[in-house]
Each structure stands twice: as structure tokens, then as C-alpha cells.
Amino acid sequence: MTDTADATDSVSNQPRTAFSWGHTAMKAEFVAASDGTLRLARLARPSDPGSDPEAALPLVELTAFGHGSGWSGPRFTGTAFGARPVYRGHRSGRGEDGWESLTIELHDPATGLTAFVELTSPTKVPVLRSRVRLRNDGTEPLVVQSVSSLLLGGLPAPEALDVHRARNDWLAECRWYAEPLRDTVADISVDVHQHDSRAALALTGRGSWPSDGHLPMGALTERGGERTWLWQIESPAGWRWDLGERAHGTYLALNGPTDAEHQWRVRLAPGGEFTTVPAALALGSGLDDAMGALTAYRRAVRRPHPDHATLPVVFNDYMNTLMGDPTTEKLLPLIDAAASAGAEYFCIDSGWYDDSENGGWWDSVGAWLPSPRRFPDGGITAVLDRIRERGMVPGLWLEPEVIGVRSPIATALPPDAFFQRDGIRLTEQGRHQLDLRHPAARAHLDKTVDRIVGDWGVGYLKLDYNIVIDPGTLAPGDIAPGAGLLGHAHAYLDWLSGVLDRHPGLVVENCASGGMRMDGATLAVAQLQSTSDQQDPLRYPPIAAAAPTAVPPEQGAVWAYPQPDHDDDLITFTLGGALLGRIHLSGHLNRMSEHQLGLVRAAVDTYKSIREDLARALPFWPLGLPGWTDEWPVLGLRAPDGPSYLSVWRRGGCDELRLPVGHLAGQDVRTEILHPSDPGAGSVVWDREGGELRVSLPRTPGVLLIRLTPGT
């Protein structure tokens, strides 16, 4: 189907190309600018104001050898290519899966390069997903150094906007902060100079941990208004976004890896193709609304799996418990206690393959065979059988992409199966990195997983990744290491999809030293996402409260590791922090008193009673996104046509708090404290007219899980 219309050029008075596309929640309007290039002139919800088409950006900007930037500056807009492509047509459609699609074809006569701008959006969700497919229809090779995934101009001027970013460091993930965009993009008196500013606020992610340092996300909020633009770049490797000033407005450019910052480039021979990583942009009336739209989009784009609806409780033996030292003797009583507490999956974490006396497994991994020393009677299969006997699904930890330098697999596989530079195999922290584009590397991992899942009956894999490769690899055929890294990262996700195709009941948790691989590309394939390796229960609340910014609640694994030496308040505190995510239980439950184990059972039972709502709820933050040292972190989840839930932590400060819950203002609301069960732990009172919840937590550390049911 093709949807076209004509507009009139104000200068030449000649018809020019114009058309629109979208659905009831979002509309995109495309117009040819005065230079003839087709541009996304407006992307908005139906109620949002329009923008100036001349402030929009070309649909595609790219740099290539022999075709650089159109001007100097630290950004990838205003390129020589951007002003050249000619519009050749478009086609739109609606799939049976509920997605709207639009493909726009552009062509550069000078080089023969054709660009297909591929736009999609889930019906009724104000989120645009964009990627660009390049095809060299010319007669000469073209080496591309950067290419945009999504460009949007015509946004309000920098002085009207605040920009939001999220630090994402090991043990301190999802720490959002905001600043005025004008603090970076200074006002240079554009009219005086008759030139846009060359300044840009740019953020990049590098290496094989795509969310190390910052989440591959960002947001703009309109100061004095309600409009919000929230984005994520769905790259399993490098990425970049930048914001700058253009034509008295603001532009947003979303890219995957680039030559300048990631040593990425691709050579397109005649007939060759390349497709960028996708980028998604959510629109909302405020940050919470945009986060809700992005959450709905993430659910629509991911691989379907029963786990997303059932949300089973997982016990993992690692955190603050066995810490990579599992044995039959240690595991059996822990398995019994976990089953008694209500766990439905039991995952044996790292160390199960380590047969050394001193725990020196780090640089010898790769064969993934169980240790006879650790599992002397009946081997690991006897322990897995015990898990099944107790009514739980067994799981194992695996770090598939690495091979230790002392592993026999390091010499058994061909050299080209590993990351390399200048013919030298790379070594990082005593490990080599597999390149999943090589058939031998993939065959090795297929054999490993099919043995563990197919032969041993393991139903849960925690796939970890604890080294960083930067900038990448130069395998035969690669012209830049960043391209090799991106190629491997896509091959890894393709391998993982193949595993799930062969074993559709398998549940996969994605982990990279906690949340260092918390990117949209991986989250669309894996069922769960580790949010952190944080071991201090008092430091976890701001991570747990902000995790739904990066991952839907039903995919965000949050540790709950109560210990027998904790008092009741600390036990309920660490348990309560995980109840609006995917509770990942740990701790020495087998050493607990019956009273303490009862507290654990009560929390798990509470989780099971609300998890059906969590799988469809959208997040909100009554006090805004939490700061790292906030005394009262708060997270809300709102189930459509159902109750709302609040997790409220107190780590210090006064013992009372008022929480605005605007979507329930003016309504009668029934309040329930679901956790903890101690009636003296706290109290809540609903203010109907003020739309506020008055919360009291007399002791610290303290936590409440509250259910708000309207109309009762």
C-alpha cells in the first residue's frame, strides 16, 4: 500500500513530495525540504504541536571514504551524503502481529547507493522503531564509516529542554541524572553568525559490554511542558547518540558504532548490503508516560516465551551464599530449603565445573564438564535429580563466549574461532573470546548446551560474560575491529535464538557482571536480565527502583539474599526490594530458624499472588527516578484496569513520607500493605482529594509493598 500527497514548495511554487504514516497513538509526517531531500518533518502524538519542516534532518546521514562531513564538528549530521539521496518511493502496511510498517527508498545517483529507511511501530503504542538498510547498486566499492539509525530535528530549542542520562556502572546500575541541554549546547547567537552551533552533547558506549558506563538510552523533557522524547539504541556492541542545535531547534541523532569512536566501518562491494542496529523513540506526556510506552514496546518486540507470563521464582546459590563454590554436600540442604521457601527454579551458579583444589577455574573454563571432586556420588546429575524431586526446575551457570588460556578447548578449536588482531589471538584476563561467526565456535557451544539441556535436563541457563573486548576483532573479511565485534554480537544473538528454537522450554538469564549487557537487542531474545551484582542490601534499592527504565519488570532479576544472622527488619528489607521485579532468591536458607524461613515463605507467597499483574504493569515513580543516596527510593507499577503497587524503601531520614499518585487522584482507593506481614512495620493512609499516599515507616531499614485498588 502506498500513501502519497502533494505539498507546495513556498519558493518555487512547485509540488513537492509529502505523505504521512502512523496510527492512533503516533503520527509521522514526511516532506521534501527546499533542497529536495525527504525529511521526517513531524513525529508526534495526535495532540502534540507541529514543527518546521526546514528544521528537520534528512532521513539518512552517513560518512564514507571520499565522502565526508559537510562541515567540521563532533557530530554525524550535515554530512555530504545527507543532502544527496533522491526519494524513489515508499510502501506501508500492517502485519498480522499488530505492527505498522513503512519503508522509504532513497537513492544517491552519484555513487549508486540505495538506502531503505525501515520504520515500524506497534499499533496504539507511541514508539517508533527505525533502522536503515544500505545496498550498493553502484559499480564501485563504498567504505561506510558511519550511518544513522534514526534522525529527528525540529524539537524545541535547547533552552526549553532537560536531557536525562543513566550512569550504569558495575554494582551501581541505572543511576539517572538530568541537566539543562543549554549547559552543554551553549547559545552562540546563531543569527549573528548565520551558522548553527557546532557543539553537541554526545554519549557513546564502547566494547563488548554495551551498557558499561551508561545505558544505551536517553531522554529529553520539555521544561514548562509535558512532552518527553525517550530513546534506546538496540546495539549489542557500540553505539552513539548526540543532541545539538539546528535552525533554532534541537536535533537528535541515534547511531550504532562509528569509525571515529568504535573503529567500525564496512566495505560494500557492488551488490553488498548492510543494516544498522535499530533505534526506538518513545513519546510521552512526561517521563513516566514515555517509560510506560517504551515498556509496552519492549514487550511487543521481544521473542515470545511462556516465562514472560508465568514469572517463576528462581533460587540462585551464588550471591552472598556459595559464591562460586558449589558441592553436593553444600547444595543438597540448600535445595531442600529453597523448595520449602517456595522456589520454582534452582540455579547452580559458577564453579560446578571446577576440579582444582584452590578454585583456580577462571583461566581454565571452556569444556563445561562437571567436577568429579565437587560431585563425588552420582555426579552433578544426582544433584539435578534432587532439584527435580523437590518440585523445581534445575538450572546452571555458563559463560559461553570465553575459553580459558589453560583450557584444552583453547587448542582444540581453530585459531579463526577466536577474536584476533594482526593475526594474534586476543587474551583478556586469562581468557580468549570466541567469535560466534565461526562454525567451529558455534558447533562447540551447540554441543555444550545440547548436552546440558538435552542430556542433563537443565531448564534454566544463566549466561554470564565477565570480560570486555574493545574495540573488537579482525577476522578474515573484517576491515575494522568494531565491525568484527558487531558481527560477533549479532552472531551470538542468532546462536541464542537457535538454542531457544531447539529447546523452547528453556529459560535464559542474560548477565554480564550484573547489568553490563543490559541492551535492547539482547533483551529482545533472553527471558531475564540480571540487574546487578550488588551484595549490600542497603545499596540495592535505587537499582531495583530504577531497573524498569532499562528492562520490563517481569524480566528484571533482582537479588533477595536474606541471611540467618539478619534481624527480621533486614530480612524483610532485602526480600521486599525484589517483589516488583523478578525475585532472585539466595541466602543460607538452610541455616535459618523456622521463624526466619517463615518470613521468606511469606514474601514468596506474596510475590506469587501479584505476579500476574506485574507481567502487564507499567512503571511510574511518584518521587521521580531515584538518586543513589536517596533515603526513600520509591517504585510504582500500574496494572491497566487493575491495581497499582508501590515499593517504598526507607534507608534513613524522617519516618513519614507523602507520595503523589496522580492517576488515582479523586478516587476512593483501598490500601493494603502486602509486605511485610508485621503490623508494626508501617502504615499507609490515602488522601482522596490530594491524590497522595501518606506512608509511615517507623524503623530503618524498612520497606513496604503496598497495593492500591481504586473504586473500593
Side-chain angles (χ1 to χ4, degrees):
M1 179 176 75
T2 300
D3 181 15
T4 61
D6 287 332
T8 300
D9 189 289
S10 60
V11 177
S12 64
N13 201 34
Q14 295 296 316
R16 58 176 173 171
T17 301
F19 59 92
S20 62
W21 167 82
H23 47 75
T24 56
M26 184 194 70
K27 183 73 71 173
E29 297 177 359
F30 302 88
V31 176
S34 56
D35 63 1
T37 58
L38 189 68
R39 306 192 175 203
L40 176 54
R42 180 174 184 264
L43 178 68
R45 298 168 305 161
S47 59
D48 290 341
S51 57
D52 179 9
E54 295 301 317
L57 296 177
L59 283 180
V60 178
E61 298 264 24
L62 65 88
T63 57
F65 285 174
H67 309 269
S69 176
W71 60 309
S72 299
R75 56 206 215 188
F76 296 103
T77 57
T79 65
F81 251 107
R84 292 211 311 252
V86 177
Y87 167 73
R88 296 214 299 198
H90 69 275
R91 61 182 183 275
S92 61
R94 175 181 297 176
E96 295 181 358
D97 55 0
W99 283 71
E100 307 282 346
S101 66
L102 174 70
T103 299
I104 301 171
E105 183 177 343
L106 309 172
H107 183 71
D108 175 33
T111 61
L113 183 69
T114 303
F116 301 90
V117 182
E118 299 175 345
L119 307 176
T120 55
S121 180
T123 304
K124 299 181 180 180
V125 178
V127 177
L128 176 70
R129 188 179 200 240
S130 175
R131 66 181 186 179
V132 175
R133 178 166 57 92
L134 302 178
R135 186 179 70 206
N136 186 358
D137 292 329
T139 59
E140 299 294 330
L142 186 69
V143 178
V144 178
Q145 298 172 274
S146 70
V147 55
S148 58
S149 292
L150 175 62
L151 297 167
L152 183 63
L155 300 176
E159 55 266 17
L161 297 172
D162 290 320
V163 59
H164 303 253
R165 293 175 275 179
R167 289 289 316 182
N168 199 69
D169 300 304
W170 184 54
L171 308 180
E173 291 84 351
C174 299
R175 291 178 292 125
W176 287 82
Y177 61 102
E179 63 178 307
L181 182 56
R182 265 295 181 226
D183 284 359
T184 299
V185 182
D187 184 352
I188 62 167
S189 298
V190 167
D191 291 337
V192 172
H193 298 89
Q194 298 182 10
H195 201 295
D196 285 325
S197 170
R198 292 178 176 176
L201 172 58
L203 199 65
T204 60
R206 294 174 52 189
S208 54
W209 278 358
S211 57
D212 180 22
H214 277 88
L215 291 177
M217 297 180 63
L220 285 171
T221 53
E222 188 176 25
R223 198 175 308 119
E226 294 186 341
R227 287 187 295 171
T228 295
W229 299 263
L230 170 69
W231 59 87
Q232 67 176 23
I233 301 174
E234 297 170 8
S235 174
W239 54 270
R240 169 197 166 101
W241 59 255
D242 63 274
L243 296 160
E245 188 170 13
R246 185 180 186 280
H248 299 288
T250 298
Y251 78 83
L252 168 67
L254 305 181
N255 284 65
T258 69
D259 189 13
E261 293 170 315
H262 306 92
Q263 297 187 41
W264 174 93
R265 59 186 182 273
V266 62
R267 176 186 173 90
L268 295 180
E273 292 192 4
F274 171 77
T275 302
T276 70
V277 300
L281 178 65
L283 308 175
S285 57
L287 195 56
D288 284 2
D289 189 46
M291 288 288 184
L294 192 60
T295 300
Y297 160 82
R298 287 167 171 163
R299 287 170 173 155
V301 79
R302 70 191 175 192
R303 179 189 178 98
H305 196 284
D307 182 81
H308 297 318
T310 56
L311 281 61
V313 176
V314 178
F315 185 96
N316 182 296
D317 68 26
Y318 184 83
M319 192 60 74
N320 293 351
T321 310
L322 300 188
M323 299 297 290
D325 187 28
T327 65
T328 298
E329 182 180 10
K330 294 177 180 180
L331 283 168
L332 293 183
L334 203 53
I335 290 167
D336 293 345
S340 177
E344 294 155 303
Y345 281 63
F346 189 103
C347 181
I348 302 171
D349 209 278
S350 60
W352 57 270
Y353 40 79
D354 176 28
D355 209 37
S356 64
E357 293 291 342
N358 59 359
W361 56 264
W362 180 264
D363 60 357
S364 63
V365 296
W368 307 116
L369 297 172
S371 163
R373 181 181 63 84
R374 292 179 175 276
F375 308 103
D377 300 320
I380 197 171
T381 55
V383 177
L384 300 176
D385 287 344
R386 179 67 160 264
I387 294 171
R388 281 186 284 266
E389 289 169 3
R390 294 297 181 264
M392 297 180 292
V393 176
L396 283 179
W397 178 97
L398 198 64
E399 195 170 358
E401 292 162 85
V402 300
I403 303 293
V405 296
R406 295 192 297 113
S407 172
I409 307 300
T411 55
L413 293 178
D416 286 352
F418 299 91
F419 273 34
Q420 55 188 290
R421 297 283 299 278
D422 296 330
I424 300 171
R425 186 186 301 189
L426 300 185
T427 302
E428 181 64 34
Q429 299 180 56
R431 284 142 166 235
H432 302 307
Q433 165 83 42
L434 287 173
D435 187 337
L436 266 293
R437 295 174 296 174
H438 196 284
R442 183 159 180 159
H444 163 67
L445 292 189
D446 280 340
K447 182 179 178 181
T448 298
V449 170
D450 290 348
R451 178 179 67 248
I452 292 172
V453 178
D455 298 343
W456 300 354
V458 166
Y460 184 100
L461 287 178
K462 177 177 179 178
L463 300 184
D464 210 342
Y465 181 61
N466 292 300
I467 64 172
V468 183
I469 300 292
D470 185 15
T473 181
L474 276 172
D478 294 332
I479 67 169
L485 176 61
L486 183 61
H488 158 77
H490 282 145
Y492 168 76
L493 294 179
D494 183 70
W495 167 77
L496 184 55
S497 295
V499 167
L500 291 167
D501 287 342
R502 295 197 307 278
H503 306 287
L506 178 68
V507 175
V508 171
E509 175 190 347
N510 176 56
C511 179
S513 288
M516 299 296 97
R517 209 184 220 178
M518 199 149 41
D519 62 275
T522 308
L523 283 168
V525 180
Q527 286 70 63
L528 288 96
Q529 170 65 51
S530 171
T531 57
S532 186
D533 281 348
Q534 176 58 248
Q535 293 179 249
D536 183 349
L538 298 179
R539 295 288 187 188
Y540 217 125
I543 301 172
T549 63
V551 54
E554 68 274 17
Q555 286 182 270
V558 179
W559 287 106
Y561 30 58
Q563 303 296 345
D565 59 349
H566 289 174
D567 63 21
D568 286 3
D569 284 344
L570 191 53
I571 288 175
T572 57
F573 186 85
T574 185
L575 289 165
L579 297 182
L580 290 188
R582 281 299 293 274
I583 183 169
H584 262 45
L585 197 59
S586 197
H588 294 284
L589 305 187
N590 54 307
R591 302 177 187 173
M592 284 186 163
S593 68
E594 185 56 36
H595 167 73
Q596 291 174 319
L597 197 57
L599 297 177
V600 179
R601 288 194 197 100
V604 171
D605 287 345
T606 295
Y607 179 79
K608 291 178 179 179
S609 73
I610 68 171
R611 60 186 171 186
E612 182 178 354
D613 284 336
L614 305 189
R616 61 193 184 97
L618 303 177
F620 67 99
W621 293 268
L623 299 181
L625 293 174
W628 185 243
T629 59
D630 282 3
E631 294 175 330
W632 287 83
V634 179
L635 167 65
L637 293 183
R638 176 183 180 182
D641 302 319
S644 296
Y645 298 89
L646 289 170
S647 278
V648 182
W649 296 263
R650 181 187 169 205
R651 299 191 292 176
C654 61
D655 59 3
E656 291 189 357
L657 185 70
R658 288 177 175 265
L659 296 178
V661 189
H663 67 274
L664 295 177
Q667 301 184 52
D668 292 324
V669 173
R670 179 162 62 97
T671 63
E672 302 168 85
I673 295 177
L674 303 181
H675 174 86
S677 56
D678 175 11
S683 62
V684 294
V685 176
W686 174 246
D687 178 353
R688 180 181 185 275
E689 299 306 320
E692 290 185 332
L693 188 69
R694 295 197 293 271
V695 179
S696 174
L697 268 169
R699 301 189 299 274
T700 184
V703 66
L704 295 178
L705 174 63
I706 305 158
R707 178 162 57 198
L708 305 176
T709 306
T712 56

